[in-house]
Amino acid sequence: MTGPVVVTRRGPALWARIDRPGAGNACSSAVMAGLEEWLAAADEPGIRVLVLTGTGRSFCAGADLTEATALLRDLTALRKFLDRGRRLVRAVMAAGVPTIAAVNGAAFGGGLELLLACDVAVAADTARIGDRHIAVGQVPGWGSSVLLPLAVGPAAARRLLIAGETWTGEEAARRGLVSEAVPAADLDRHVDTLAERIAALDEAAVRRMLRVARPVVAADAWDREWTTLTEHVTALATQPE
């Protein structure tokens, strides 16, 4: 597969590499389409693990603000764009095989939410990770307000959300946001080894383990976040220029 998402088979793992380094690997509609195809390919014979990573210095900088801003005059289209990202994150959470985020660089906003959606996240020690919606005058809508408290506890989650702080890969590992941080040069090799280890386990047991290992999130938590986001973007779209 070509385009802004490069999908490659590496043994039992299917890797998706977001390939928009000039745009921080931001999630445009084209990127979301590529990731949807990657998820659909998980049903191919022999695929036991899905891996998500990015090209260059970013894992994913979040939703493509250029595309989103261009849609401010069409609220229906903007909501559709944002809802597509929300559904993508939830589809990653529901994937039929284990998912690994290989966090090679900056993971902000929607990039953090994609990280949180994966079953396991391994970061380069040089990665920078944070919610940072607040830094660009936005609020989350793809799950960080829902999933961050489950990952790092409510106090640390509030600090990331409200203060817009950024953690290094090493600090993210200490705080439990990622499972471990490794030297950047070793990241792909380390994740390859982890994927092979998972793939060697009993397939039926792994699939059932996903049912009990993945977080259970109340529907009203998702609804509260989405309602807040739609109120926010509606206010932005209708304010005087």
Side-chain angles (χ1 to χ4, degrees):
M1 188 186 305
T2 59
V5 176
V6 179
V7 176
T8 54
R9 177 79 179 263
R10 294 167 68 154
L14 192 66
W15 284 61
R17 187 177 298 273
I18 304 175
D19 192 28
R20 298 183 70 211
N25 295 327
C27 255
S28 63
S29 292
V31 168
M32 287 189 260
L35 293 179
E36 288 161 356
E37 291 183 37
W38 163 68
L39 286 169
D43 293 332
E44 294 179 2
I47 300 298
R48 300 288 302 278
V49 181
L50 295 176
V51 179
L52 178 61
T53 193
T55 296
R57 300 175 62 184
S58 293
F59 173 73
C60 174
D64 189 323
L65 293 181
T66 300
E67 182 172 351
T69 301
L71 294 173
L72 276 174
R73 294 182 181 276
D74 186 346
L75 265 177
T76 299
L78 177 58
R79 289 186 184 124
K80 185 176 180 180
F81 170 77
L82 295 171
D83 187 51
R84 187 176 187 179
R86 178 178 183 243
R87 287 184 285 110
L88 172 65
V89 166
R90 296 181 75 169
V92 173
M93 292 181 68
V97 298
T99 53
I100 303 174
V103 188
N104 57 295
F108 300 141
L112 171 67
E113 288 161 320
L114 285 168
L115 179 165
L116 288 165
C118 290
D119 297 307
V120 179
V122 181
D125 53 5
T126 54
R128 295 173 298 128
I129 304 172
D131 180 74
R132 295 191 62 77
H133 279 99
I134 199 71
V136 291
Q138 297 296 327
V139 296
W142 296 0
S144 60
S145 74
V146 177
L147 300 173
L148 260 179
L150 300 177
V152 299
R158 283 193 296 269
R159 184 144 180 163
L160 282 172
L161 289 164
I162 296 170
E165 292 184 352
T166 299
W167 292 347
T168 65
E170 290 182 333
E171 184 171 8
R174 287 197 301 271
R175 302 269 196 154
L177 182 54
V178 300
S179 65
E180 57 188 321
V182 301
D186 297 336
L187 179 63
D188 281 11
R189 183 168 60 252
H190 188 88
V191 172
D192 273 333
T193 299
L194 176 60
E196 289 170 0
R197 186 184 312 151
I198 293 171
L201 300 171
D202 181 82
E203 183 175 6
V206 168
R207 289 181 181 270
R208 292 189 178 100
M209 184 63 78
L210 293 178
R211 296 182 196 170
V212 296
R214 286 173 170 166
V216 177
V217 181
D220 61 349
W222 291 108
D223 292 344
R224 180 186 65 175
E225 185 185 76
W226 179 247
T227 298
T228 302
L229 175 64
T230 54
E231 287 175 355
H232 188 71
V233 297
T234 299
L236 288 176
T238 56
Q239 68 185 3
E241 290 189 2

